Amino acid sequence: VAVARRLGVVSVRPRLGIQREPFDFAQVVLPAILFSLATGETNFAQLSRLRRMIESSFWDEAVVRLTADDRVVLRRLVTQAWAKLRGEPIHIPNAEHRQLHLTIFGRLDNPFVHGLLVAYWDAYDASELTRFVRYEYWLEVWSYHERIVDALWVDDFEGGRQLLNEHFALLQTEPEAVVDL
């Protein structure tokens, strides 16, 4: 029972006993990802490549499932990100970055894809890879995000995919490459 609790597949409640919890692959896979990164057995570049392959491979299936409300959410996330980047003081829109990508792929009926993407973003946050990147990096990232959302708004799914793939090249996944010395 202890292992099942740590994996999030069951919970123990007074007077109710052991209860099965909804399947959440991210909760199961995230500890393994973080452990492998922390021990140096893997590196973030490998995880990042997996995430890029998942998003590229599932793009067509994901974007046709977006609702009008999803598109509004995506526009709002872009607006919020620009407000943070242009604000005084400047704030890095990490939450918006995560939510934008998870919204695009959020309607897929695949708990493994969803779980891997959520775990990726948790590991991305934990890695602090972008902590020392230049402000220009964020401007470029959000320029791409805005263009991706614009493409999705007008059902230019292939144009959106091209922009997504171009935007993947922006993040350097090796810490020594990230720091602007």
Side-chain angles (χ1 to χ4, degrees), residues 93-111:
N94 285 323
E96 291 80 3
H97 194 189
R98 172 192 183 107
Q99 196 57 43
L100 183 124
H101 284 272
L102 292 178
T103 298
I104 292 171
F105 295 91
R107 297 223 178 257
L108 287 173
D109 186 24
N110 188 324

Side-chain angles (χ1 to χ4, degrees), residues 68-83:
D69 288 343
D70 294 332
R71 293 172 197 226
V72 169
V73 166
L74 291 170
R75 282 246 195 247
R76 186 173 59 243
L77 290 167
V78 169
T79 300
Q80 290 169 350
W82 282 123

Side-chain angles (χ1 to χ4, degrees), residues 28-77:
V28 174
V29 74
L30 181 62
I33 290 171
L34 294 176
F35 178 82
S36 70
L37 293 171
T39 60
E41 294 176 53
T42 63
N43 61 55
F44 197 82
Q46 293 168 316
L47 180 60
S48 187
R49 183 168 185 256
L50 174 62
R51 174 266 184 144
R52 289 190 311 265
M53 296 302 291
I54 290 169
E55 288 193 8
S56 292
S57 296
F58 283 91
W59 177 261
D60 290 334
E61 187 179 339
V63 296
V64 297
R65 292 173 183 235
L66 291 171
T67 66
D69 288 343
D70 294 332
R71 293 172 197 226
V72 169
V73 166
L74 291 170
R75 282 246 195 247
R76 186 173 59 243
L77 290 167

Side-chain angles (χ1 to χ4, degrees), residues 6-181:
R6 275 185 264 140
L7 292 174
V9 295
V10 299
S11 62
V12 179
R13 298 186 184 128
R15 291 186 234 158
L16 295 176
I18 298 172
Q19 301 290 312
R20 185 186 172 284
E21 295 297 325
F23 179 64
D24 181 358
F25 189 58
Q27 194 169 1
V28 174
V29 74
L30 181 62
I33 290 171
L34 294 176
F35 178 82
S36 70
L37 293 171
T39 60
E41 294 176 53
T42 63
N43 61 55
F44 197 82
Q46 293 168 316
L47 180 60
S48 187
R49 183 168 185 256
L50 174 62
R51 174 266 184 144
R52 289 190 311 265
M53 296 302 291
I54 290 169
E55 288 193 8
S56 292
S57 296
F58 283 91
W59 177 261
D60 290 334
E61 187 179 339
V63 296
V64 297
R65 292 173 183 235
L66 291 171
T67 66
D69 288 343
D70 294 332
R71 293 172 197 226
V72 169
V73 166
L74 291 170
R75 282 246 195 247
R76 186 173 59 243
L77 290 167
V78 169
T79 300
Q80 290 169 350
W82 282 123
K84 284 184 172 183
L85 288 169
R86 294 175 178 146
E88 201 51 54
I90 293 167
H91 291 281
I92 303 303
N94 285 323
E96 291 80 3
H97 194 189
R98 172 192 183 107
Q99 196 57 43
L100 183 124
H101 284 272
L102 292 178
T103 298
I104 292 171
F105 295 91
R107 297 223 178 257
L108 287 173
D109 186 24
N110 188 324
F112 298 105
V113 169
H114 179 74
L116 284 169
L117 291 176
V118 167
Y120 166 84
W121 285 103
D122 288 344
Y124 176 90
D125 290 342
S127 74
E128 296 186 329
L129 269 178
T130 58
R131 184 175 182 177
F132 299 107
V133 297
R134 296 175 321 194
Y135 176 66
E136 291 76 20
Y137 163 83
W138 290 107
L139 296 177
E140 195 168 5
V141 164
W142 281 96
S143 174
Y144 270 100
H145 288 156
E146 184 171 40
R147 292 165 49 208
I148 290 166
V149 170
D150 289 345
L152 293 174
W153 196 264
V154 296
D155 294 336
D156 180 9
F157 300 142
E158 188 53 37
R161 177 205 306 273
Q162 287 180 298
L163 291 164
L164 177 78
N165 288 327
E166 289 173 21
H167 128 281
F168 284 149
L170 298 177
L171 176 61
Q172 298 296 314
T173 54
E174 299 301 324
E176 60 275 4
V178 174
V179 180
D180 183 27
L181 299 176

